[in-house]
Amino acid sequence: MKSIRLSFRRAAALASALLLLSLSFGLTSCKTDDEDNSLVQAYLLSQKSPAYSIKGTWKSAAGDTYVITDTSFTNYSTSDTTATPYQTWEIVSYAVDPSDPTIFYIYGKITQLGSSNYGGVVYPATGTIGYYTAAYVKVVDNSSIQISCAFKTTNCDPSLETVKTTFTDANGYFGYKPNYTKQ
């Protein structure tokens, strides 16, 4: 009886070791710029406490709305999220500011451009479909965040690495940071 228990324990330990080895190999496999650990980052974000959740629908006092999911970042120039979006991105990765865990950077590839209408004047969205861009998000509290999309001389680049290293708050790409309330 003792040898059967010992065999089961050895088999369980071996199975656990093989599972961990296969998971570690799978997580360290080759990746492209487009993948850039987005699934791992999304999982890590989903494991944060509710105070750090940035996913959801967010509306400003001016009426514009952002919808953030694990895979997409959409900006509507109104509170009507059934309207054509002003801009939509496919999220390729998230980053948390190492000096402040309430600050997130979202990196995405522009997939759709629209326009907004303020006071009868139509403003087309800027950017290039297929190029990368970034957003700055600061968690204020459980129901409020600040969002700013990258813009200086440009708001997008064909290189994800350029966006990550150049489109930063320190470089002045995220000047105005209005408050948004969770809907």
Side-chain angles (χ1 to χ4, degrees):
M1 185 67 131
K2 188 175 183 180
S3 65
I4 293 174
R5 281 190 202 149
L6 190 55
S7 295
F8 283 128
R9 287 184 183 156
R10 284 185 184 162
L14 180 61
S16 297
L18 288 174
L19 177 63
L20 287 175
L21 181 63
S22 66
L23 284 174
S24 66
F25 177 74
L27 291 175
T28 59
S29 64
C30 296
K31 63 181 178 184
T32 64
D33 274 351
D34 288 345
E35 293 168 345
D36 195 51
N37 272 340
S38 61
L39 293 177
V40 173
Q41 293 294 331
Y43 172 77
L44 291 174
L45 283 175
S46 71
Q47 299 307 303
K48 297 242 180 240
S49 67
Y52 293 98
S53 178
I54 61 173
K55 292 183 282 184
T57 301
W58 304 91
K59 183 179 170 187
S60 76
D64 61 315
T65 306
Y66 285 92
V67 178
I68 303 170
T69 70
D70 286 335
T71 58
S72 67
F73 181 89
T74 306
N75 172 237
Y76 296 90
S77 58
T78 71
S79 59
D80 180 6
T81 57
T82 63
T84 301
Y86 180 70
Q87 192 176 73
T88 303
W89 315 343
E90 172 192 348
I91 294 177
V92 294
S93 70
Y94 291 88
V96 178
D97 188 312
S99 63
D100 185 345
T102 65
I103 296 175
F104 295 84
Y105 288 93
I106 301 173
Y107 302 101
K109 185 183 280 188
I110 299 171
T111 58
Q112 183 269 327
L113 295 170
S115 63
S116 62
N117 185 332
Y118 289 107
V121 178
V122 175
Y123 298 94
T126 59
T128 303
I129 292 176
Y131 276 37
Y132 296 96
T133 191
Y136 167 102
V137 178
K138 177 165 179 55
V139 176
V140 177
D141 58 37
N142 286 336
S143 62
S144 180
I145 61 175
Q146 295 175 333
I147 301 175
S148 181
C149 292
F151 195 82
K152 196 172 182 179
T153 55
T154 184
N155 70 337
C156 62
D157 193 89
S159 165
L160 179 59
E161 285 309 310
T162 298
V163 168
K164 285 183 174 184
T165 58
T166 306
F167 292 23
T168 65
D169 195 32
N171 287 345
Y173 275 82
F174 305 103
Y176 180 62
K177 300 174 181 90
N179 286 323
Y180 287 80
T181 304
K182 193 159 196 168
Q183 299 301 295

mmCIF file of all heavy atoms in Angstrom, residues 59-104:
data_model
loop_
_atom_site.group_PDB
_atom_site.id
_atom_site.type_symbol
_atom_site.label_atom_id
_atom_site.label_comp_id
_atom_site.label_asym_id
_atom_site.label_seq_id
_atom_site.Cartn_x
_atom_site.Cartn_y
_atom_site.Cartn_z
ATOM 1 N N LYS A 59 -17.089 58.205 -19.236
ATOM 2 C CA LYS A 59 -17.671 59.401 -19.849
ATOM 3 C C LYS A 59 -17.151 60.652 -19.150
ATOM 4 O O LYS A 59 -17.057 60.696 -17.924
ATOM 5 C CB LYS A 59 -19.185 59.348 -19.750
ATOM 6 C CG LYS A 59 -19.899 60.501 -20.405
ATOM 7 C CD LYS A 59 -21.401 60.341 -20.275
ATOM 8 C CE LYS A 59 -22.125 61.584 -20.713
ATOM 9 N NZ LYS A 59 -23.547 61.507 -20.441
ATOM 10 N N SER A 60 -16.832 61.686 -19.950
ATOM 11 C CA SER A 60 -16.366 62.958 -19.379
ATOM 12 C C SER A 60 -17.549 63.906 -19.182
ATOM 13 O O SER A 60 -18.643 63.665 -19.698
ATOM 14 C CB SER A 60 -15.339 63.620 -20.297
ATOM 15 O OG SER A 60 -15.981 64.210 -21.407
ATOM 16 N N ALA A 61 -17.303 65.021 -18.498
ATOM 17 C CA ALA A 61 -18.332 66.040 -18.318
ATOM 18 C C ALA A 61 -18.709 66.665 -19.654
ATOM 19 O O ALA A 61 -19.837 67.125 -19.841
ATOM 20 C CB ALA A 61 -17.843 67.116 -17.350
ATOM 21 N N ALA A 62 -17.778 66.661 -20.613
ATOM 22 C CA ALA A 62 -18.050 67.212 -21.939
ATOM 23 C C ALA A 62 -18.904 66.268 -22.789
ATOM 24 O O ALA A 62 -19.418 66.669 -23.828
ATOM 25 C CB ALA A 62 -16.742 67.501 -22.670
ATOM 26 N N GLY A 63 -19.036 65.005 -22.348
ATOM 27 C CA GLY A 63 -19.903 64.072 -23.057
ATOM 28 C C GLY A 63 -19.196 63.050 -23.920
ATOM 29 O O GLY A 63 -19.840 62.137 -24.423
ATOM 30 N N ASP A 64 -17.878 63.177 -24.126
ATOM 31 C CA ASP A 64 -17.211 62.148 -24.924
ATOM 32 C C ASP A 64 -17.009 60.900 -24.067
ATOM 33 O O ASP A 64 -17.017 60.951 -22.842
ATOM 34 C CB ASP A 64 -15.889 62.644 -25.513
ATOM 35 C CG ASP A 64 -14.885 63.056 -24.464
ATOM 36 O OD1 ASP A 64 -15.265 63.757 -23.512
ATOM 37 O OD2 ASP A 64 -13.715 62.671 -24.599
ATOM 38 N N THR A 65 -16.871 59.749 -24.728
ATOM 39 C CA THR A 65 -16.877 58.465 -24.049
ATOM 40 C C THR A 65 -15.748 57.582 -24.560
ATOM 41 O O THR A 65 -15.457 57.566 -25.756
ATOM 42 C CB THR A 65 -18.221 57.741 -24.286
ATOM 43 O OG1 THR A 65 -19.280 58.624 -23.901
ATOM 44 C CG2 THR A 65 -18.322 56.455 -23.514
ATOM 45 N N TYR A 66 -15.122 56.847 -23.651
ATOM 46 C CA TYR A 66 -14.142 55.824 -24.003
ATOM 47 C C TYR A 66 -14.667 54.481 -23.530
ATOM 48 O O TYR A 66 -15.232 54.374 -22.433
ATOM 49 C CB TYR A 66 -12.798 56.072 -23.312
ATOM 50 C CG TYR A 66 -12.004 57.189 -23.926
ATOM 51 C CD1 TYR A 66 -12.111 58.484 -23.448
ATOM 52 C CD2 TYR A 66 -11.152 56.943 -24.993
ATOM 53 C CE1 TYR A 66 -11.384 59.513 -24.004
ATOM 54 C CE2 TYR A 66 -10.412 57.973 -25.561
ATOM 55 C CZ TYR A 66 -10.524 59.254 -25.059
ATOM 56 O OH TYR A 66 -9.811 60.274 -25.627
ATOM 57 N N VAL A 67 -14.463 53.454 -24.351
ATOM 58 C CA VAL A 67 -14.786 52.090 -23.969
ATOM 59 C C VAL A 67 -13.489 51.294 -24.061
ATOM 60 O O VAL A 67 -12.892 51.192 -25.137
ATOM 61 C CB VAL A 67 -15.872 51.475 -24.884
ATOM 62 C CG1 VAL A 67 -16.144 50.037 -24.478
ATOM 63 C CG2 VAL A 67 -17.153 52.305 -24.836
ATOM 64 N N ILE A 68 -13.052 50.747 -22.909
ATOM 65 C CA ILE A 68 -11.793 50.006 -22.837
ATOM 66 C C ILE A 68 -12.103 48.560 -22.475
ATOM 67 O O ILE A 68 -12.761 48.287 -21.470
ATOM 68 C CB ILE A 68 -10.849 50.614 -21.778
ATOM 69 C CG1 ILE A 68 -10.584 52.090 -22.072
ATOM 70 C CG2 ILE A 68 -9.539 49.827 -21.710
ATOM 71 C CD1 ILE A 68 -9.849 52.828 -20.954
ATOM 72 N N THR A 69 -11.642 47.636 -23.326
ATOM 73 C CA THR A 69 -11.780 46.205 -23.050
ATOM 74 C C THR A 69 -10.381 45.591 -23.052
ATOM 75 O O THR A 69 -9.391 46.300 -23.202
ATOM 76 C CB THR A 69 -12.657 45.505 -24.114
ATOM 77 O OG1 THR A 69 -11.941 45.465 -25.358
ATOM 78 C CG2 THR A 69 -13.992 46.208 -24.302
ATOM 79 N N ASP A 70 -10.303 44.275 -22.920
ATOM 80 C CA ASP A 70 -9.012 43.596 -23.000
ATOM 81 C C ASP A 70 -8.372 43.755 -24.379
ATOM 82 O O ASP A 70 -7.158 43.745 -24.504
ATOM 83 C CB ASP A 70 -9.156 42.095 -22.713
ATOM 84 C CG ASP A 70 -9.384 41.809 -21.242
ATOM 85 O OD1 ASP A 70 -8.978 42.628 -20.406
ATOM 86 O OD2 ASP A 70 -9.972 40.754 -20.945
ATOM 87 N N THR A 71 -9.205 43.901 -25.417
ATOM 88 C CA THR A 71 -8.678 43.877 -26.778
ATOM 89 C C THR A 71 -8.900 45.146 -27.588
ATOM 90 O O THR A 71 -8.344 45.281 -28.672
ATOM 91 C CB THR A 71 -9.292 42.698 -27.563
ATOM 92 O OG1 THR A 71 -10.722 42.845 -27.566
ATOM 93 C CG2 THR A 71 -8.900 41.359 -26.942
ATOM 94 N N SER A 72 -9.733 46.072 -27.095
ATOM 95 C CA SER A 72 -9.997 47.271 -27.893
ATOM 96 C C SER A 72 -10.108 48.526 -27.038
ATOM 97 O O SER A 72 -10.447 48.473 -25.855
ATOM 98 C CB SER A 72 -11.273 47.108 -28.729
ATOM 99 O OG SER A 72 -12.404 47.053 -27.892
ATOM 100 N N PHE A 73 -9.811 49.651 -27.690
ATOM 101 C CA PHE A 73 -9.863 50.975 -27.071
ATOM 102 C C PHE A 73 -10.629 51.845 -28.063
ATOM 103 O O PHE A 73 -10.179 52.056 -29.183
ATOM 104 C CB PHE A 73 -8.430 51.485 -26.882
ATOM 105 C CG PHE A 73 -8.322 52.831 -26.231
ATOM 106 C CD1 PHE A 73 -8.240 52.940 -24.855
ATOM 107 C CD2 PHE A 73 -8.262 53.987 -26.984
ATOM 108 C CE1 PHE A 73 -8.107 54.181 -24.238
ATOM 109 C CE2 PHE A 73 -8.123 55.235 -26.393
ATOM 110 C CZ PHE A 73 -8.044 55.325 -25.012
ATOM 111 N N THR A 74 -11.813 52.311 -27.665
ATOM 112 C CA THR A 74 -12.670 53.052 -28.577
ATOM 113 C C THR A 74 -13.042 54.393 -27.974
ATOM 114 O O THR A 74 -13.420 54.475 -26.808
ATOM 115 C CB THR A 74 -13.956 52.258 -28.892
ATOM 116 O OG1 THR A 74 -13.590 50.963 -29.376
ATOM 117 C CG2 THR A 74 -14.789 52.952 -29.943
ATOM 118 N N ASN A 75 -12.936 55.449 -28.783
ATOM 119 C CA ASN A 75 -13.297 56.801 -28.365
ATOM 120 C C ASN A 75 -14.502 57.249 -29.172
ATOM 121 O O ASN A 75 -14.503 57.180 -30.397
ATOM 122 C CB ASN A 75 -12.113 57.753 -28.600
ATOM 123 C CG ASN A 75 -12.481 59.206 -28.366
ATOM 124 O OD1 ASN A 75 -12.333 60.029 -29.237
ATOM 125 N ND2 ASN A 75 -12.964 59.515 -27.192
ATOM 126 N N TYR A 76 -15.547 57.677 -28.473
ATOM 127 C CA TYR A 76 -16.732 58.243 -29.100
ATOM 128 C C TYR A 76 -16.761 59.725 -28.760
ATOM 129 O O TYR A 76 -16.509 60.101 -27.616
ATOM 130 C CB TYR A 76 -18.008 57.583 -28.562
ATOM 131 C CG TYR A 76 -18.121 56.122 -28.882
ATOM 132 C CD1 TYR A 76 -17.597 55.160 -28.016
ATOM 133 C CD2 TYR A 76 -18.738 55.700 -30.046
ATOM 134 C CE1 TYR A 76 -17.697 53.817 -28.314
ATOM 135 C CE2 TYR A 76 -18.843 54.349 -30.350
ATOM 136 C CZ TYR A 76 -18.310 53.412 -29.478
ATOM 137 O OH TYR A 76 -18.420 52.079 -29.773
ATOM 138 N N SER A 77 -17.063 60.558 -29.724
ATOM 139 C CA SER A 77 -17.093 61.999 -29.459
ATOM 140 C C SER A 77 -18.381 62.422 -28.747
ATOM 141 O O SER A 77 -18.542 63.580 -28.408
ATOM 142 C CB SER A 77 -16.908 62.793 -30.760
ATOM 143 O OG SER A 77 -17.907 62.458 -31.692
ATOM 144 N N THR A 78 -19.275 61.479 -28.510
ATOM 145 C CA THR A 78 -20.517 61.738 -27.782
ATOM 146 C C THR A 78 -20.702 60.647 -26.731
ATOM 147 O O THR A 78 -19.905 59.718 -26.632
ATOM 148 C CB THR A 78 -21.744 61.716 -28.721
ATOM 149 O OG1 THR A 78 -21.976 60.368 -29.139
ATOM 150 C CG2 THR A 78 -21.547 62.587 -29.932
ATOM 151 N N SER A 79 -21.792 60.722 -26.006
ATOM 152 C CA SER A 79 -22.105 59.663 -25.046
ATOM 153 C C SER A 79 -22.838 58.503 -25.722
ATOM 154 O O SER A 79 -23.082 57.485 -25.096
ATOM 155 C CB SER A 79 -22.947 60.218 -23.900
ATOM 156 O OG SER A 79 -24.136 60.774 -24.409
ATOM 157 N N ASP A 80 -23.165 58.647 -26.999
ATOM 158 C CA ASP A 80 -23.879 57.615 -27.749
ATOM 159 C C ASP A 80 -22.882 56.579 -28.273
ATOM 160 O O ASP A 80 -22.248 56.780 -29.298
ATOM 161 C CB ASP A 80 -24.650 58.246 -28.911
ATOM 162 C CG ASP A 80 -25.426 57.225 -29.727
ATOM 163 O OD1 ASP A 80 -25.471 56.033 -29.326
ATOM 164 O OD2 ASP A 80 -25.975 57.613 -30.771
ATOM 165 N N THR A 81 -22.743 55.466 -27.554
ATOM 166 C CA THR A 81 -21.784 54.435 -27.955
ATOM 167 C C THR A 81 -22.307 53.545 -29.085
ATOM 168 O O THR A 81 -21.643 52.597 -29.472
ATOM 169 C CB THR A 81 -21.370 53.567 -26.749
ATOM 170 O OG1 THR A 81 -22.541 53.006 -26.167
ATOM 171 C CG2 THR A 81 -20.602 54.392 -25.730
ATOM 172 N N THR A 82 -23.488 53.861 -29.625
ATOM 173 C CA THR A 82 -23.963 53.157 -30.818
ATOM 174 C C THR A 82 -23.611 53.952 -32.075
ATOM 175 O O THR A 82 -23.785 53.467 -33.187
ATOM 176 C CB THR A 82 -25.483 52.906 -30.775
ATOM 177 O OG1 THR A 82 -26.164 54.166 -30.770
ATOM 178 C CG2 THR A 82 -25.860 52.091 -29.553
ATOM 179 N N ALA A 83 -23.119 55.190 -31.893
ATOM 180 C CA ALA A 83 -22.715 56.025 -33.027
ATOM 181 C C ALA A 83 -21.384 55.518 -33.585
ATOM 182 O O ALA A 83 -20.719 54.674 -32.990
ATOM 183 C CB ALA A 83 -22.568 57.473 -32.575
ATOM 184 N N THR A 84 -20.988 56.047 -34.731
ATOM 185 C CA THR A 84 -19.689 55.705 -35.301
ATOM 186 C C THR A 84 -18.599 56.263 -34.391
ATOM 187 O O THR A 84 -18.622 57.446 -34.042
ATOM 188 C CB THR A 84 -19.536 56.318 -36.713
ATOM 189 O OG1 THR A 84 -20.585 55.802 -37.540
ATOM 190 C CG2 THR A 84 -18.188 55.982 -37.313
ATOM 191 N N PRO A 85 -17.638 55.419 -33.993
ATOM 192 C CA PRO A 85 -16.578 55.898 -33.110
ATOM 193 C C PRO A 85 -15.698 56.954 -33.781
ATOM 194 O O PRO A 85 -15.524 56.959 -35.000
ATOM 195 C CB PRO A 85 -15.751 54.644 -32.820
ATOM 196 C CG PRO A 85 -16.631 53.504 -33.176
ATOM 197 C CD PRO A 85 -17.535 53.994 -34.263
ATOM 198 N N TYR A 86 -15.142 57.824 -32.964
ATOM 199 C CA TYR A 86 -14.172 58.806 -33.436
ATOM 200 C C TYR A 86 -12.873 58.092 -33.813
ATOM 201 O O TYR A 86 -12.267 58.373 -34.829
ATOM 202 C CB TYR A 86 -13.927 59.843 -32.333
ATOM 203 C CG TYR A 86 -12.947 60.923 -32.696
ATOM 204 C CD1 TYR A 86 -13.266 61.887 -33.644
ATOM 205 C CD2 TYR A 86 -11.703 60.989 -32.083
ATOM 206 C CE1 TYR A 86 -12.369 62.894 -33.975
ATOM 207 C CE2 TYR A 86 -10.807 61.997 -32.407
ATOM 208 C CZ TYR A 86 -11.142 62.945 -33.352
ATOM 209 O OH TYR A 86 -10.256 63.932 -33.687
ATOM 210 N N GLN A 87 -12.461 57.136 -32.973
ATOM 211 C CA GLN A 87 -11.250 56.365 -33.241
ATOM 212 C C GLN A 87 -11.329 55.044 -32.489
ATOM 213 O O GLN A 87 -11.794 54.995 -31.356
ATOM 214 C CB GLN A 87 -10.020 57.148 -32.799
ATOM 215 C CG GLN A 87 -8.713 56.564 -33.277
ATOM 216 C CD GLN A 87 -7.537 57.444 -32.892
ATOM 217 O OE1 GLN A 87 -7.170 57.494 -31.734
ATOM 218 N NE2 GLN A 87 -6.961 58.129 -33.867
ATOM 219 N N THR A 88 -10.860 53.967 -33.127
ATOM 220 C CA THR A 88 -10.818 52.648 -32.501
ATOM 221 C C THR A 88 -9.428 52.052 -32.695
ATOM 222 O O THR A 88 -8.848 52.183 -33.771
ATOM 223 C CB THR A 88 -11.869 51.700 -33.114
ATOM 224 O OG1 THR A 88 -13.164 52.291 -32.974
ATOM 225 C CG2 THR A 88 -11.866 50.340 -32.433
ATOM 226 N N TRP A 89 -8.929 51.400 -31.643
ATOM 227 C CA TRP A 89 -7.639 50.708 -31.718
ATOM 228 C C TRP A 89 -7.815 49.256 -31.311
ATOM 229 O O TRP A 89 -8.649 48.931 -30.475
ATOM 230 C CB TRP A 89 -6.619 51.254 -30.745
ATOM 231 C CG TRP A 89 -6.458 52.706 -30.608
ATOM 232 C CD1 TRP A 89 -6.878 53.701 -31.445
ATOM 233 C CD2 TRP A 89 -5.806 53.356 -29.530
ATOM 234 N NE1 TRP A 89 -6.513 54.912 -30.957
ATOM 235 C CE2 TRP A 89 -5.845 54.736 -29.774
ATOM 236 C CE3 TRP A 89 -5.175 52.914 -28.374
ATOM 237 C CZ2 TRP A 89 -5.281 55.667 -28.921
ATOM 238 C CZ3 TRP A 89 -4.611 53.832 -27.524
ATOM 239 C CH2 TRP A 89 -4.666 55.197 -27.804
ATOM 240 N N GLU A 90 -6.965 48.422 -31.854
ATOM 241 C CA GLU A 90 -6.782 47.061 -31.358
ATOM 242 C C GLU A 90 -5.666 47.166 -30.323
ATOM 243 O O GLU A 90 -4.562 47.603 -30.649
ATOM 244 C CB GLU A 90 -6.372 46.129 -32.486
ATOM 245 C CG GLU A 90 -5.970 44.761 -32.036
ATOM 246 C CD GLU A 90 -5.301 43.960 -33.144
ATOM 247 O OE1 GLU A 90 -5.336 44.371 -34.319
ATOM 248 O OE2 GLU A 90 -4.710 42.930 -32.812
ATOM 249 N N ILE A 91 -5.937 46.814 -29.088
ATOM 250 C CA ILE A 91 -4.918 46.910 -28.040
ATOM 251 C C ILE A 91 -3.881 45.822 -28.259
ATOM 252 O O ILE A 91 -4.227 44.649 -28.417
ATOM 253 C CB ILE A 91 -5.544 46.802 -26.641
ATOM 254 C CG1 ILE A 91 -6.444 48.009 -26.381
ATOM 255 C CG2 ILE A 91 -4.456 46.679 -25.564
ATOM 256 C CD1 ILE A 91 -7.177 47.981 -25.058
ATOM 257 N N VAL A 92 -2.605 46.233 -28.264
ATOM 258 C CA VAL A 92 -1.524 45.261 -28.416
ATOM 259 C C VAL A 92 -0.763 45.049 -27.121
ATOM 260 O O VAL A 92 -0.143 44.005 -26.930
ATOM 261 C CB VAL A 92 -0.554 45.622 -29.565
ATOM 262 C CG1 VAL A 92 -1.263 45.536 -30.905
ATOM 263 C CG2 VAL A 92 0.064 46.978 -29.379
ATOM 264 N N SER A 93 -0.787 46.019 -26.198
ATOM 265 C CA SER A 93 -0.192 45.800 -24.879
ATOM 266 C C SER A 93 -0.567 46.919 -23.915
ATOM 267 O O SER A 93 -1.008 47.986 -24.325
ATOM 268 C CB SER A 93 1.329 45.669 -24.965
ATOM 269 O OG SER A 93 1.929 46.895 -25.292
ATOM 270 N N TYR A 94 -0.395 46.599 -22.645
ATOM 271 C CA TYR A 94 -0.574 47.539 -21.555
ATOM 272 C C TYR A 94 0.760 47.642 -20.823
ATOM 273 O O TYR A 94 1.533 46.697 -20.810
ATOM 274 C CB TYR A 94 -1.587 47.021 -20.526
ATOM 275 C CG TYR A 94 -3.017 46.952 -20.960
ATOM 276 C CD1 TYR A 94 -3.519 45.822 -21.586
ATOM 277 C CD2 TYR A 94 -3.881 47.996 -20.694
ATOM 278 C CE1 TYR A 94 -4.847 45.738 -21.943
ATOM 279 C CE2 TYR A 94 -5.218 47.923 -21.051
ATOM 280 C CZ TYR A 94 -5.701 46.787 -21.671
ATOM 281 O OH TYR A 94 -7.006 46.716 -22.014
ATOM 282 N N ALA A 95 1.007 48.762 -20.173
ATOM 283 C CA ALA A 95 2.165 48.893 -19.293
ATOM 284 C C ALA A 95 1.736 49.693 -18.073
ATOM 285 O O ALA A 95 0.926 50.612 -18.178
ATOM 286 C CB ALA A 95 3.304 49.601 -20.014
ATOM 287 N N VAL A 96 2.279 49.325 -16.935
ATOM 288 C CA VAL A 96 2.028 50.058 -15.697
ATOM 289 C C VAL A 96 3.286 50.857 -15.398
ATOM 290 O O VAL A 96 4.396 50.340 -15.487
ATOM 291 C CB VAL A 96 1.710 49.089 -14.534
ATOM 292 C CG1 VAL A 96 1.492 49.847 -13.239
ATOM 293 C CG2 VAL A 96 0.504 48.237 -14.873
ATOM 294 N N ASP A 97 3.116 52.132 -15.064
ATOM 295 C CA ASP A 97 4.253 52.987 -14.737
ATOM 296 C C ASP A 97 4.953 52.407 -13.503
ATOM 297 O O ASP A 97 4.315 52.227 -12.464
ATOM 298 C CB ASP A 97 3.765 54.414 -14.455
ATOM 299 C CG ASP A 97 4.884 55.401 -14.288
ATOM 300 O OD1 ASP A 97 5.840 55.102 -13.539
ATOM 301 O OD2 ASP A 97 4.805 56.483 -14.889
ATOM 302 N N PRO A 98 6.250 52.106 -13.600
ATOM 303 C CA PRO A 98 6.937 51.495 -12.466
ATOM 304 C C PRO A 98 7.006 52.400 -11.229
ATOM 305 O O PRO A 98 7.122 51.913 -10.110
ATOM 306 C CB PRO A 98 8.339 51.184 -12.989
ATOM 307 C CG PRO A 98 8.493 51.927 -14.255
ATOM 308 C CD PRO A 98 7.126 52.281 -14.751
ATOM 309 N N SER A 99 6.906 53.705 -11.417
ATOM 310 C CA SER A 99 6.987 54.607 -10.270
ATOM 311 C C SER A 99 5.606 54.944 -9.683
ATOM 312 O O SER A 99 5.522 55.511 -8.604
ATOM 313 C CB SER A 99 7.699 55.905 -10.658
ATOM 314 O OG SER A 99 6.962 56.591 -11.641
ATOM 315 N N ASP A 100 4.533 54.596 -10.393
ATOM 316 C CA ASP A 100 3.188 54.890 -9.906
ATOM 317 C C ASP A 100 2.213 53.842 -10.458
ATOM 318 O O ASP A 100 1.820 53.902 -11.623
ATOM 319 C CB ASP A 100 2.750 56.291 -10.349
ATOM 320 C CG ASP A 100 1.407 56.708 -9.775
ATOM 321 O OD1 ASP A 100 0.656 55.840 -9.253
ATOM 322 O OD2 ASP A 100 1.085 57.901 -9.856
ATOM 323 N N PRO A 101 1.808 52.868 -9.633
ATOM 324 C CA PRO A 101 0.950 51.785 -10.121
ATOM 325 C C PRO A 101 -0.466 52.211 -10.497
ATOM 326 O O PRO A 101 -1.246 51.401 -10.968
ATOM 327 C CB PRO A 101 0.938 50.781 -8.964
ATOM 328 C CG PRO A 101 1.252 51.595 -7.761
ATOM 329 C CD PRO A 101 2.145 52.714 -8.223
ATOM 330 N N THR A 102 -0.802 53.490 -10.325
ATOM 331 C CA THR A 102 -2.126 53.963 -10.745
ATOM 332 C C THR A 102 -2.080 54.534 -12.161
ATOM 333 O O THR A 102 -3.102 54.973 -12.681
ATOM 334 C CB THR A 102 -2.669 55.042 -9.787
ATOM 335 O OG1 THR A 102 -1.834 56.201 -9.851
ATOM 336 C CG2 THR A 102 -2.754 54.522 -8.361
ATOM 337 N N ILE A 103 -0.898 54.544 -12.784
ATOM 338 C CA ILE A 103 -0.762 55.073 -14.144
ATOM 339 C C ILE A 103 -0.508 53.923 -15.114
ATOM 340 O O ILE A 103 0.394 53.115 -14.924
ATOM 341 C CB ILE A 103 0.380 56.101 -14.241
ATOM 342 C CG1 ILE A 103 0.052 57.320 -13.377
ATOM 343 C CG2 ILE A 103 0.615 56.513 -15.696
ATOM 344 C CD1 ILE A 103 1.169 58.347 -13.304
ATOM 345 N N PHE A 104 -1.341 53.872 -16.156
ATOM 346 C CA PHE A 104 -1.237 52.851 -17.183
ATOM 347 C C PHE A 104 -0.976 53.513 -18.536
ATOM 348 O O PHE A 104 -1.463 54.616 -18.789
ATOM 349 C CB PHE A 104 -2.556 52.061 -17.308
ATOM 350 C CG PHE A 104 -2.905 51.268 -16.095
ATOM 351 C CD1 PHE A 104 -3.558 51.853 -15.020
ATOM 352 C CD2 PHE A 104 -2.600 49.925 -16.017
ATOM 353 C CE1 PHE A 104 -3.894 51.123 -13.892
ATOM 354 C CE2 PHE A 104 -2.936 49.182 -14.897
ATOM 355 C CZ PHE A 104 -3.583 49.778 -13.835
#
